[in-house]
Amino acid sequence: MSNDEKTTVAPVEDQQVNNKEVEEKHLIEEQAKNTEANIDNGKTQQVEATTDAVKEATPSAPASSKPLKPAAHKVDFENNVVYLYQFSRTKNIPSPSPFCLKVETWLRMAGIKYENVDHKMKFRSTKGQLPFVEFNGVEIADSAVIIKELGGSFNTDMDAHLTSEQRNVVHATITMLENHYHWIDVWWRTKNPDAMLQGYKIDLQHMVGSKLPMGLLKFYYRFSFRRRGMKKVRATGIGVHSPEEIIKMGKDDLKVLADMLGDKTFFFGDEPTTLDVVVFANVAQLVVVDKEIAHPLRDWILEEGKNLVQHFEKIKEKYYPDWQEMCDTLDMNTHIPKPVIEEKEPEKIEQKEEDKKEEDKEKVEDEKEKEKEADEKAPATETDEKPKETK
């Protein structure tokens, strides 16, 4: 489990706060917080669910020996369907968060029916995190816990064929990625906030569902995201090193992955494992960065870690046939078939129009014929009946 995917549960009073009330009273503040706390390389964040003013206005819950279950945001849920809450799409990647992309990829590989909830990052789990899911009305937070819990519910274990030793390797390697390499990625993003927005083609207005001017959103994002992000990176110990040393650490982590993969299709043979999912989600964050943006780790993986790029492409091709569509449209649910609206064929429309004209023409001719027959059958007039008088 990664450092900031903690298991600390939010206070009970926080859990009872009405999301709509928070949105109505603090819309601008929440949008700014979301922009800063969520885009930060997609890593789940430990954020406060409400402001102090709302906390004071919320009555305290009675003491209880059992923790209250969080109310599901999706009230009209369908049984055995997973509802995924994550970051909004961007123009070159389904999610700028390796943890969100990890969960969605695992769901696709496992063949589990799921639906993304397009919440514009307004919701968090009770742990203050993204991603989280709701399954049969119950919330599950933290990417590792989500995979474990849903795996048990659907009797799915992608690592079932691995030996005990191989499972240990999976655990150690994922820990390296999510607790060490991840913070190197966060360091780059917080040091280069503008490059991150451009590199991932992030539209802040779309991402947080805000109508605030783009300039204002970017200003707040640069100021607060950088300040808080660097504080967290320093807390991990990564931030105290020089940029050259940090980049070297990142390259070393990526080299470990490249050496482990070698020329194999997946890390442990012909079938993907949880490690393949996590590596895919992290490598994707490098490969998609716009080429006009300077990124030393992106450059390294394209030159020295080509097998990791091939690994990424194989999984993308097999499990994300709608990748380009979701990036072009920013649709959260391109994997769900849309209702087919039958379009009338032009030839049939033209034929119907011709038939209608022919019918109208026949009607006119019939009416003329009836009028003619009526005239012939009409009684003679008085003038016609009387013979002309002769003198």
Side-chain angles (χ1 to χ4, degrees):
M1 186 177 299
S2 55
N3 288 330
D4 63 337
E5 286 188 319
K6 297 178 181 177
T7 56
T8 305
V9 179
V12 174
E13 58 180 358
D14 286 358
Q15 298 174 9
Q16 294 184 331
V17 174
N18 186 298
N19 283 312
K20 291 184 178 180
E21 181 180 355
V22 176
E23 293 170 23
E24 294 172 355
K25 292 184 178 181
H26 302 280
L27 177 60
I28 295 178
E29 180 181 350
E30 286 298 314
Q31 289 170 337
K33 283 185 178 180
N34 289 337
T35 302
E36 161 200 343
N38 293 324
I39 298 173
D40 123 54
N41 101 321
K43 178 65 174 175
T44 54
Q45 301 296 324
Q46 200 70 12
V47 294
E48 294 185 2
T50 59
T51 60
D52 293 337
V54 179
K55 288 181 179 180
E56 292 175 0
T58 305
S60 299
S64 176
S65 58
K66 296 182 179 180
L68 296 177
K69 290 185 178 180
H73 298 293
K74 185 75 174 178
V75 294
D76 57 339
F77 63 86
E78 181 181 344
N79 285 332
N80 296 325
V81 174
V82 177
Y83 294 94
L84 175 59
Y85 294 76
Q86 61 164 319
F87 294 88
S88 302
R89 306 291 194 205
T90 79
K91 286 293 185 179
N92 60 3
I93 193 170
S95 176
S97 160
F99 297 92
C100 294
L101 190 57
K102 164 187 171 182
V103 172
E104 185 163 15
T105 303
W106 183 86
L107 288 169
R108 289 186 173 218
M109 284 188 176
I112 294 173
K113 186 177 181 181
Y114 76 97
E115 178 182 328
N116 279 299
V117 179
D118 191 6
H119 62 118
K120 301 301 182 186
M121 303 194 305
K122 289 181 174 63
F123 298 133
R124 299 291 177 281
S125 70
T126 53
K127 298 178 181 180
Q129 298 174 312
L130 284 177
F132 72 93
V133 303
E134 289 178 348
F135 180 61
N136 293 339
V138 178
E139 177 191 289
I140 309 173
D142 187 289
S143 61
V145 177
I146 291 170
I147 290 175
K148 181 179 179 181
E149 293 294 325
L150 292 181
S153 297
F154 288 95
N155 194 27
T156 298
D157 182 4
M158 295 176 62
D159 302 336
H161 62 288
L162 300 182
T163 65
S164 176
E165 183 178 354
Q166 289 173 326
R167 283 176 175 268
N168 291 339
V169 171
V170 169
H171 176 79
T173 309
I174 290 177
T175 301
M176 176 193 75
L177 276 171
E178 297 187 342
N179 291 278
H180 185 261
Y181 172 79
H182 166 71
W183 290 109
I184 295 171
D185 189 31
V186 174
W187 169 83
W188 181 85
R189 297 184 186 212
T190 53
K191 287 283 287 186
N192 307 278
D194 288 329
M196 179 195 166
L197 293 178
Q198 297 172 24
Y200 293 104
K201 300 181 179 180
I202 295 173
D203 182 341
L204 291 177
Q205 288 179 320
H206 170 80
M207 180 160 279
V208 301
S210 172
K211 294 183 179 180
L212 290 175
M214 184 68 75
L216 179 61
L217 290 174
K218 285 185 177 180
F219 173 79
Y220 191 90
Y221 169 78
R222 293 188 197 102
F223 173 75
S224 55
F225 175 68
R226 178 184 175 90
R227 178 172 53 84
R228 293 191 180 186
M230 290 309 297
K231 184 178 179 181
K232 293 176 181 179
V233 172
R234 288 185 67 85
T236 66
I238 298 292
V240 302
H241 300 289
S242 68
E244 293 76 16
E245 290 172 329
I246 295 174
I247 293 299
K248 179 63 167 58
M249 293 177 188
K251 291 178 180 179
D252 289 344
D253 287 347
L254 293 173
K255 188 176 185 304
V256 169
L257 299 177
D259 290 345
M260 287 179 62
L261 179 60
D263 58 357
K264 300 189 294 294
T265 302
F266 299 109
F267 279 88
F268 295 97
D270 297 329
E271 296 297 328
T273 63
T274 307
L275 178 58
D276 292 283
V277 174
V278 177
V279 171
F280 166 81
N282 281 271
V283 169
Q285 307 300 319
L286 293 177
V287 175
V288 303
V289 174
D290 193 284
K291 293 182 179 180
E292 295 182 1
I293 301 301
H295 196 315
L297 294 180
R298 186 271 320 277
D299 295 342
W300 185 93
I301 202 169
L302 292 179
E303 295 174 5
E304 306 294 334
K306 293 181 180 179
N307 60 339
L308 293 176
V309 177
Q310 293 172 355
H311 176 268
F312 158 76
E313 293 292 349
K314 287 175 183 176
I315 293 178
K316 173 187 170 184
E317 181 180 356
K318 183 174 182 179
Y319 297 102
Y320 284 92
D322 53 342
W323 182 289
Q324 193 59 49
E325 180 185 356
M326 65 176 68
C327 292
D328 289 341
T329 63
L330 303 181
D331 186 348
M332 298 294 290
N333 290 299
T334 52
H335 63 290
I336 299 177
K338 303 293 189 295
V340 178
I341 301 176
E342 294 185 2
E343 296 184 359
K344 296 180 179 180
E345 297 180 7
E347 294 182 0
K348 290 184 178 180
I349 295 176
E350 293 177 1
Q351 184 64 38
K352 286 184 178 181
E353 290 179 351
E354 291 179 1
D355 293 344
K356 189 174 184 302
K357 289 180 180 179
E358 189 66 27
E359 289 177 2
D360 293 340
K361 185 178 179 180
E362 290 178 358
K363 286 182 180 179
V364 172
E365 291 178 354
D366 290 344
E367 289 177 358
K368 287 182 179 181
E369 187 69 26
K370 288 180 180 178
E371 289 178 0
K372 185 177 180 181
E373 292 177 358
D375 290 343
E376 292 176 352
K377 294 180 180 179
T381 62
E382 184 178 350
T383 303
D384 294 335
E385 291 176 354
K386 290 182 178 181
K388 291 181 179 180
E389 296 181 0
T390 58
K391 292 182 180 181

